[in-house]
């Protein structure tokens, strides 16, 4: 079975930075479109960023454009999310996701994936 394991979450002050990482095992990493999503308490899971199989195309939610960067390493089988200029409203559980047979843009629009990680908590204090 394909497994996704997030790491890198934690507490950070507003304006600070954090880098999340997701390690994929049990499948062919390069066959997946990858993404990051987040969910705050009482809210719906929302799109953050996605990246295509080769890493050549990326898509971001308007709320994180210019602050977050998604990247992937098809040798190490990892996808990362570099988060800069963090705001309290970025506080949420962040989920790594993998999808077959889709585009990075469609994955974000549908908030859908074939595999999900268990999530990692990011808390931004004021």
């Amino acid at each position: 079975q394909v497994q996704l394991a997030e790491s890198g979450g934690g507490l950070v002050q507003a304006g600070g930075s954090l880098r999340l990482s997701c390690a994929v095992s049990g499948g062919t990493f390069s066959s997946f479109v990858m993404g990051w999503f987040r969910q705050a308490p009482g809210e719906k899971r929302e799109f953050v960023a996605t990246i295509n199989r080769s890493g050549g195309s990326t898509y971001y939610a308007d709320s994180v454009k210019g602050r977050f960067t998604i990247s992937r390493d098809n040798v190490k089988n990892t996808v990362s999310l570099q988060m800069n200029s963090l705001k309290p409203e970025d506080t949420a559980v962040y989920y790594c996701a993998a999808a077959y047979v889709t585009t990075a843009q469609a994955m974000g629009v549908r908030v859908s994936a074939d595999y999900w990680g268990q999530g990692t908590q990011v808390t931004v204090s004021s």
Side-chain angles (χ1 to χ4, degrees):
Q1 173 66 299
V2 174
Q3 293 186 313
L4 283 62
E6 301 99 334
S7 62
L11 298 166
V12 64
Q13 290 186 303
S17 297
L18 208 57
R19 186 176 180 86
L20 306 183
S21 184
C22 174
V24 179
S25 62
T28 303
F29 179 72
S30 61
S31 72
F32 297 119
V33 175
M34 299 297 300
W36 287 96
F37 300 80
R38 67 188 183 187
Q39 187 169 21
E43 303 295 326
K44 309 80 211 152
R45 189 167 299 186
E46 67 176 7
F47 159 64
V48 175
T50 52
I51 187 166
N52 73 348
R53 293 171 181 84
S54 68
S57 296
T58 58
Y59 295 90
Y60 297 93
D62 289 342
S63 60
V64 307
K65 282 182 180 177
R67 299 189 299 121
F68 291 11
T69 302
I70 187 172
S71 61
R72 68 188 295 160
D73 188 326
N74 284 0
V75 174
K76 296 194 294 186
N77 293 351
T78 59
V79 61
S80 298
L81 185 70
Q82 178 65 47
M83 305 184 293
N84 298 326
S85 301
L86 283 161
K87 306 173 180 179
E89 48 263 52
D90 294 318
T91 295
V93 175
Y94 283 70
Y95 297 91
C96 178
Y100 294 111
V101 194
T102 188
T103 64
Q105 184 174 26
M107 185 182 186
V109 169
R110 294 174 61 190
V111 191
S112 178
D114 294 292
Y115 304 99
W116 293 89
Q118 290 301 119
T120 185
Q121 178 71 47
V122 171
T123 301
V124 184
S125 64
S126 60

